[in-house]
Amino acid sequence: ASPMTASHSRNRIERIGIDESGKGDYFGPLVIAAVFVDTTTQGELGLMQVRDSKKISDGRILEMAPDIKTICPHSVIAIGPQKYNELYAKIKNLNRLLAWGHANALETLLERVTCERAISDQFANERLILNVLQEKGRKIVLEQRTKAESDLAVAAASILARAEFLLRLKRLSGEVGTTLPKGASPAVELAAKMIIKKHGQERLGSVAKLHFKTTKAVLAGLT
């Protein structure tokens, strides 16, 4: 092959995958991760059996994340509950908040690698992400796909985001002395009631995303 085609195929593989974790979890942070993948790391991630984090146990996710971090340039942006609630009060829209986080993760990674293409899961506000990046003078093609997790770079990002989410959820559980479950379920409501009983209502904002319906349900149950 001529040098032209070799570099062309390399550029086709080089990409940044972005994914988030914690969006549907009442407790814990919102985490967005971006991972840069090239020809070499593409093969290595394949060997590690990297796939969508939803198909992997928490224990395995926590084992895989440090390995992915070792081989791939990456950035992980965690928005803790306190900060999340402040941002949400200002922005009042989850998609905008996500776009801000995605742009932030991308921007941080683009300070370390040169890449022309990023892939993320489909959500409403691609324009928002690009607008934030353009304000910072960044040019990148952002592909949004449904089922983006089937892409290795996005799958790797999903694992880094989930691992960070799990570690932080555990730390927050320790701080309030109550196990904070994942998701948004009756067990989650019960944990929220425990926190209020132990520490008072104002403490909830340090561990939970207050705009969830869960907050209303819990507070209504207390009256």
Side-chain angles (χ1 to χ4, degrees):
S2 73
M4 266 315 286
T5 51
S7 79
H8 183 70
S9 74
R10 189 172 66 239
N11 289 344
R12 220 176 37 238
I13 288 185
E14 288 188 359
R15 64 200 182 282
I16 291 171
I18 320 169
D19 204 17
E20 78 278 322
S21 185
K23 184 175 72 174
D25 298 273
Y26 181 60
F27 291 120
L30 175 67
V31 183
I32 296 110
V35 175
F36 173 72
V37 173
D38 61 18
T39 324
T40 311
T41 51
Q42 164 103 351
E44 292 170 342
L45 293 173
L47 288 174
M48 285 167 60
Q49 299 187 322
V50 162
R51 55 201 184 285
D52 178 11
S53 63
K54 291 182 194 69
K55 301 190 170 87
I56 311 175
S57 72
D58 289 355
R60 188 76 191 105
I61 284 172
L62 292 167
E63 286 168 3
M64 289 171 91
D67 292 344
I68 294 170
K69 285 181 166 174
T70 303
I71 61 172
C72 296
H74 59 277
S75 67
V76 180
I77 304 283
I79 306 168
Q82 205 91 50
K83 176 84 175 147
Y84 178 97
N85 292 322
E86 282 168 30
L87 283 168
Y88 195 89
K90 269 199 291 243
I91 302 174
K92 293 187 174 54
N93 174 308
L94 185 56
N95 269 336
R96 288 186 101 89
L97 206 154
L98 272 172
W100 180 83
H102 274 64
N104 230 316
L106 255 176
E107 162 72 9
T108 307
L109 186 48
L110 287 170
E111 282 165 11
R112 304 196 1 245
V113 300
T114 308
C115 187
E116 289 158 15
R117 197 160 72 95
I119 301 173
S120 81
D121 207 12
Q122 196 76 42
F123 70 87
N125 282 325
E126 174 185 6
R127 282 261 39 98
L128 285 171
I129 299 180
L130 295 174
N131 290 349
V132 177
L133 288 172
Q134 272 153 8
E135 280 167 26
K136 302 182 171 186
R138 297 282 182 194
K139 294 253 183 298
I140 191 158
V141 177
L142 179 65
E143 288 177 31
Q144 291 200 311
R145 302 183 183 171
T146 45
K147 306 246 186 304
E149 296 85 0
S150 62
D151 181 276
L152 263 179
V154 178
S158 81
I159 291 171
L160 293 195
R162 197 66 184 166
E164 184 68 22
F165 172 81
L166 292 167
L167 290 168
R168 285 172 176 257
L169 188 66
K170 194 172 160 70
R171 195 182 316 151
L172 287 170
S173 296
E175 284 170 17
V176 288
T178 297
T179 301
L180 303 173
K182 294 174 291 186
S185 64
V188 167
E189 289 189 20
L190 180 61
K193 284 181 190 143
M194 304 281 286
I195 289 161
I196 293 170
K197 283 209 173 86
K198 279 204 260 191
H199 306 286
Q201 194 181 317
E202 57 292 337
R203 188 68 185 272
L204 204 53
S206 71
V207 293
K209 303 177 184 78
L210 296 177
H211 70 89
F212 276 47
K213 291 191 191 78
T214 312
T215 306
K216 275 200 183 75
V218 169
L219 295 180
L222 289 174
T223 49

